[in-house]
Amino acid sequence: MADRTPRVALVTGGSGGIGKAVVERLAADGFAVGMHYAGNQAKADALAAQISDSGGRAVTVAGDVADEGAMETAFDDVEAAFGGVDVAVNTAGIMALSPVADYDLEQFDRIVRTNLRGAFVVSQQAARRVRTGGAIINFSTSVTRSRFPGYGPYVATKAAVEALTLILARELRGKDITVNTVAPGPTATPLFLDGKDEESIGALAQAPPLERLGQPEDIAEAVAFLAGPARWINGQTLFANGGLA
């Protein structure tokens, strides 16, 4: 008889934007989901209740992704609820844009702490905890290739995450765990839209050959692919950007 035990995913930054779409997609695919949030408990609880009301299984966990103790506890709590973790998806991140010459160094320290140290801490816990046959999925950005001015510090953290991910894939040789990065293009989330005028948003929407902004569900589809059937894709960065150069 086939094993009907649901696979389990832990999604950081799971209460908003791309993270929320990832949680909803994995839950729809039959995953039990541990949904991490940093500050908005009400939003996370509402999403967990929505999933439960639809017949799924979800719990919420909190904490700073850059705090190793908090992330150890988050993995502990998901394991206690569902028996283990099969997929770790690290969508948590912040973005603050400014030319390098004008960039505030305190803001630089914050973006490095969340985007790079946070990815490292979550990846470290995932490398120790994810079960055989599982997947670790980090997040980068397509701006590592498009190189828009003003994105320097943000892109620096994400390029480092790509390198970390590729090396971790090789370090987990023999464990049957895939490690990949998703690099979204312009995607209609609050993180992306904040601070941009209509003209800038319109120009970015026209940049891909498909001539639109990505939607969070487009990115969630890529994550679901890497979390599920894509067992022969490993140590790669998947650009989910509608063909943006």
Side-chain angles (χ1 to χ4, degrees):
M1 183 175 179
D3 183 5
R4 297 183 181 275
T5 303
R7 298 181 77 209
V8 180
L10 170 59
V11 182
T12 71
S15 64
I18 289 172
K20 177 175 180 290
V22 169
V23 167
E24 291 174 331
R25 174 57 186 266
L26 293 181
D29 286 351
F31 280 80
V33 183
M35 184 195 332
H36 160 271
Y37 66 93
N40 197 330
Q41 180 176 357
K43 196 171 183 180
D45 287 345
L47 181 55
Q50 172 191 316
I51 290 169
S52 297
D53 290 346
S54 299
R57 302 174 68 195
V59 296
T60 60
V61 295
D64 176 1
V65 289
D67 182 325
E68 63 271 31
M71 289 302 97
E72 183 175 2
T73 298
F75 274 83
D76 285 344
D77 290 347
V78 174
E79 288 178 353
F82 300 130
V85 175
D86 300 290
V87 175
V89 186
N90 188 35
T91 77
I94 61 175
M95 180 168 61
L97 306 181
S98 177
V100 170
D102 303 324
Y103 208 87
D104 179 77
L105 288 179
E106 289 188 6
Q107 181 61 57
F108 181 79
D109 290 341
R110 287 193 290 271
I111 202 170
V112 168
R113 175 178 172 80
T114 299
N115 293 3
L116 180 51
R117 179 185 167 93
F120 185 90
V121 169
V122 173
S123 293
Q124 184 178 66
Q125 286 296 320
R128 296 169 177 173
R129 306 289 198 99
V130 167
R131 295 186 287 202
T132 298
I136 300 169
I137 304 165
N138 282 319
F139 264 70
S140 179
T141 171
S142 288
V143 190
T144 55
R145 294 198 305 191
S146 58
R147 305 181 184 94
F148 296 134
Y151 282 75
Y154 177 72
V155 167
T157 64
K158 293 302 188 177
V161 169
E162 288 186 20
L164 170 68
T165 301
L166 302 184
I167 290 171
L168 181 57
R170 286 148 182 81
E171 291 181 348
L172 295 183
R173 172 183 289 273
K175 295 189 175 183
D176 192 25
I177 296 171
T178 62
V179 191
N180 293 289
T181 306
V182 173
T187 305
T189 66
L191 181 68
F192 170 77
L193 297 173
D194 184 45
K196 295 183 176 68
D197 58 32
E198 289 298 324
E199 183 178 357
S200 298
I201 293 170
L204 288 165
Q206 290 300 307
L210 296 179
E211 296 186 328
R212 67 172 176 86
L213 293 178
Q215 297 299 313
E217 294 76 14
D218 294 319
I219 313 306
E221 183 175 19
V223 172
F225 177 57
L226 294 174
R231 298 308 302 166
W232 195 234
I233 297 177
N234 189 29
Q236 304 298 317
T237 298
L238 176 59
F239 287 87
N241 61 19
L244 185 69

